[in-house]
Amino acid sequence: MKSTGVVRKIDELGRIVIPKELRRTLDIQVKDPIEIFISENKVILQKYQADMACMITGDVLDENMTFGNGSIVLSPAGMAILQEELESKSGLKHQEMLKAK
């Protein structure tokens, strides 16, 4: 686990402030849900990611599909965005990629 060197005190209501730099780095926005885990004597905060949430759009839809043994979840819109980005960076269209195999 990587130390940030940031120390915060808990206030009278049991709250702590996550520094702006960390929220920006972890893409945590106002009202984002945060999941809380306990491991041995540690409290771990993690931005909540719903099961079957698209890794690109964040959408949770019945149409979402998993790839790579379930480690990658994509919505139809996420697949389209990914395909467009792959094509633009590789210079190949989907059909050309299939032929190249």
Side-chain angles (χ1 to χ4, degrees), residues 3 6-7 10 13 15 19 21 23 26 29 31 37 43 45-47 55 58 62 65 69-70 77-78 96:
S3 175
V6 176
V7 176
I10 296 178
L13 297 176
R15 300 175 297 194
E21 300 80 26
R23 293 192 318 263
L26 298 172
Q29 306 299 319
K31 305 254 181 177
F37 298 92
V43 176
L45 304 176
Q46 176 178 308
K47 186 174 177 178
M55 295 179 76
D62 290 336
M65 298 176 71
N69 295 328
E96 294 170 340

Side-chain angles (χ1 to χ4, degrees), residues 1-99:
M1 192 175 319
K2 183 177 172 184
S3 175
T4 63
V6 176
V7 176
R8 293 285 190 256
K9 291 188 177 184
I10 296 178
D11 72 8
E12 302 80 29
L13 297 176
R15 300 175 297 194
I16 60 168
V17 174
I18 301 171
K20 186 175 187 174
E21 300 80 26
L22 291 177
R23 293 192 318 263
R24 187 179 305 131
T25 300
L26 298 172
D27 191 31
I28 297 173
Q29 306 299 319
V30 173
K31 305 254 181 177
D32 277 352
I34 301 296
E35 199 165 8
I36 303 169
F37 298 92
I38 297 174
S39 175
E40 297 175 19
N41 63 344
K42 295 177 178 73
V43 176
I44 301 166
L45 304 176
Q46 176 178 308
K47 186 174 177 178
Y48 177 71
Q49 184 90 23
D51 288 342
M52 292 300 291
C54 176
M55 295 179 76
I56 295 175
T57 65
D59 295 336
V60 180
L61 305 170
D62 290 336
E63 296 82 20
N64 287 5
M65 298 176 71
T66 60
F67 302 91
N69 295 328
S71 60
I72 299 171
V73 178
L74 294 173
S75 66
M79 284 186 264
I81 292 166
L82 180 60
Q83 181 177 357
E84 183 178 303
E85 190 170 325
L86 287 169
E87 288 173 356
S88 70
K89 289 188 177 182
S90 70
L92 298 173
K93 296 287 182 200
H94 177 70
Q95 294 301 324
E96 294 170 340
M97 284 187 230
L98 292 175
K99 290 178 186 176

